[in-house]
Structure formats: C-alpha cells, structure tokens
C-alpha cells in the first residue's frame, strides 16, 4: 500500500483538467463566474489549494490545505460542541462518535460552515443545495470504520428524486493530525491516506455514467494514538431536502 500525504501529481482526472494550473494550484473563481453567468464570488476571495490526483479507479483527489489553520481550529471547536450536544450512537460498522450535522450557533460559525460548503460546491461543480449537511466525526483509540461504500444501494428509498438521488461523491475534511493510526484505506487503489489537519479527500462514488463505482469502497483504520476529528459531506446528484427546509 502507498502512503500518500505530500506531493502533487501531474495526473489530473478529466473533470478537473480545465481548472488545473501548471503550479499545481486550483483557482476556482474564473470557472465559478463562468458557470454562474459571471456572478462574482462573495468577498472576491479565490480559493487556492494544492490538488493531488491519487487514483482514477476509483476517482480520488487529495486536497492539500483545503482549509486554513484558522478555519480548522474553528471547525474543530464547532465539531466538538456538536458531538458533545448531539452524539450519534455507535454502530456495529462504525466505531466512532458522530453527529448528524454540525451545529453552528454563533454567526461567525454559521458563516464559516457556509464558506466551507460553498468551497466544496465549487470544487465538485455541484450546487451547494445538492449537498447533505456537514457531518462531524470523532474517532478515539481503537475506533475506526469498516470497509463500506457511500453510494446508496439500488432500491433505497433515499435514492428518490425528492431526496436528491444518488450520493455521487464524498468529501472528508480532516481537523487534526492523528498521533498514530486512523489512515483512510482504499483496497482497490492499494493506498492509504494519513489524516493531516486542513487536508481533504474527495472521493467519487459513481462512474462518469452515474452508476455506482464498486471500487470506491474504503475504511477508516482504527486510531492507535490520540484522536481523529473530521467533517464529512455527501454530495447528491440533485437538490437535497435538508430538515426544516
């Protein structure tokens, strides 16, 4: 298994070919203006981070410095408060504490969550309304997540158009450096990705034709030292109806 943390690959999947810069940075503002009839990005900020293509089968990208140190610190605080107030029970597959969605009570927190969701939207080229709420996860020593696939199985009620259809992609944003263990392992691609604060993984759960990519299964290996904190967002094929919306 390859262990990938740093470095920039020159191999960029076709989906990102038009927005990849020679320096290895991705500048989204010009593309986003084009897709939105030249509507300016709020604040005039151009999101810059390094994109590394890890695999074509499944399609997997590692986004270095997707969130700044300041953003990560604030997001970690939000995630900690969220799990403290609304923890999800452990399951047979998932040995981690989670919360259904991040709870941003302060205006500054809400603004940051919105900024991150818009950044994910620009990266995935999907409208932010097609995304499920950000989900906070904490893995303690001995906790991990067994091999699974994020695409919804055929016949699942959540595949209905009113629910946004298929989960076409998954974004994982790491909020801390894990002392030991906790790598995200992809058996098909024979690689492991070590969590680093501010980095994110974008995994496409479907083939370009929209069918589930069976090679996109993965696992969170058990943490053997410290804790692992992350945010996860499922991106749907169309508009997802959030609770209360």
């Amino acid at each position: 298994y390859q262990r990938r943390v740093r470095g920039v690959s020159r191999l960029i999947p076709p989906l990102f070919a038009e927005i990849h810069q020679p320096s290895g940075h991705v500048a989204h503002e010009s593309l986003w203006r084009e897709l939105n009839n030249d509507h300016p990005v709020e604040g005039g900020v151009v999101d810059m981070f390094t994109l590394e293509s890890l695999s074509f089968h499944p399609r997997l990208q590692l986004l270095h410095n997707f969130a700044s140190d300041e953003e990560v610190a604030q997001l970690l605080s939000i995630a900690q408060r969220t799990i403290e107030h609304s923890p999800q029970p452990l399951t047979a597959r998932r040995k981690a504490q989670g919360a259904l969605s991040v709870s941003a009570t302060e205006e500054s927190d809400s603004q940051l969550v919105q900024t991150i969701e818009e950044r994910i939207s620009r990266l995935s080229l999907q409208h932010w309304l097609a995304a499920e709420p950000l989900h906070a996860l904490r893995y303690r020593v001995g906790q991990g997540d067994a091999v699974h696939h994020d695409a919804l199985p055929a016949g699942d009620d959540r595949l209905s158009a009113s629910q946004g259809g298929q989960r076409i992609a998954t974004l994982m944003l790491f909020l801390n450096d894990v002392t030991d263990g906790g790598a995200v392992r992809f058996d098909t691609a024979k690689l492991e990705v070590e969590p680093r604060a501010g980095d994110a993984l974008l995994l496409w759960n479907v083939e370009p034709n929209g069918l589930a990519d069976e090679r996109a299964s993965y696992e969170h290996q058990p943490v053997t030292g410290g804790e692992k904190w992350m945010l996860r967002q499922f991106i749907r094929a169309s508009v997802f109806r959030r609770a209360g919306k």
Side-chain angles (χ1 to χ4, degrees):
Y1 284 83
Q2 302 177 45
R3 298 187 69 82
R4 305 300 295 274
V5 177
R6 294 188 177 277
V8 179
S9 171
R10 294 182 181 274
L11 299 176
I12 302 297
L15 179 62
F16 296 97
E18 295 181 3
I19 58 176
H20 183 248
Q21 305 289 317
S23 63
H25 290 88
V26 180
H28 294 287
E29 185 176 29
S30 59
L31 177 61
W32 196 238
R33 285 177 183 270
E34 180 180 342
L35 294 176
N36 290 274
N37 298 317
D38 202 37
H39 183 74
V41 177
E42 184 175 356
V45 177
V46 180
D47 299 322
M48 300 293 289
F49 50 83
T50 303
L51 184 152
E52 180 184 1
S53 178
L54 299 183
S55 168
F56 284 97
H57 308 292
R59 291 181 292 160
L60 177 66
Q61 286 83 36
L62 176 59
L63 317 166
H64 300 274
N65 303 314
F66 184 73
S68 68
D69 292 344
E70 294 76 13
E71 289 173 332
V72 167
Q74 188 174 349
L75 288 168
L76 179 58
S77 176
I78 296 171
Q80 290 170 336
R81 295 196 305 270
T82 299
I83 287 183
E84 178 182 352
H85 292 114
S86 57
Q88 215 179 358
L90 303 180
T91 65
R93 192 201 82 197
R94 175 170 295 117
K95 304 298 184 182
Q97 277 194 303
L100 291 178
S101 59
V102 296
S103 178
T105 56
E106 301 294 331
E107 182 177 356
S108 60
D109 290 345
S110 296
Q111 290 175 347
L112 176 57
V113 169
Q114 181 179 347
T115 294
I116 294 299
E117 290 193 327
E118 290 175 349
R119 192 173 301 163
I120 295 171
S121 172
R122 293 196 292 274
L123 170 70
S124 64
L125 303 185
Q126 289 288 106
H127 196 285
W128 68 270
L129 287 175
E132 296 184 28
L134 285 168
H135 187 131
L137 288 168
R138 173 178 62 189
Y139 297 84
R140 289 171 166 165
V141 171
Q143 295 180 338
D145 203 348
V147 176
H148 63 284
H149 199 298
D150 289 336
L152 298 171
D156 194 304
D157 291 341
R158 294 171 294 174
L159 280 172
S160 66
S162 63
Q163 290 294 313
Q166 185 58 276
R167 288 173 169 169
I168 63 174
T170 302
L171 189 289
M172 293 169 262
L173 173 57
F174 304 117
L175 301 181
N176 71 314
D177 294 340
V178 181
T179 303
D180 196 15
V184 185
R185 177 170 173 167
F186 299 87
D187 282 335
T188 302
K190 296 189 181 301
L191 66 86
E192 297 176 355
V193 178
E194 297 177 1
R196 293 182 65 90
D199 287 356
L201 274 174
L202 179 63
L203 171 67
W204 293 90
N205 304 315
V206 299
E207 300 273 16
N209 61 10
L211 297 178
D213 186 348
E214 297 304 324
R215 299 164 296 189
S217 60
Y218 66 98
E219 67 176 306
H220 291 277
Q221 294 187 303
V223 172
T224 54
E227 291 185 336
K228 171 180 167 182
W229 287 86
M230 58 175 278
L231 297 179
R232 181 190 64 203
Q233 186 168 64
F234 296 128
I235 302 168
R236 297 291 190 119
S238 59
V239 175
F240 175 77
R241 288 188 181 276
R242 301 191 180 193
K245 300 295 184 180

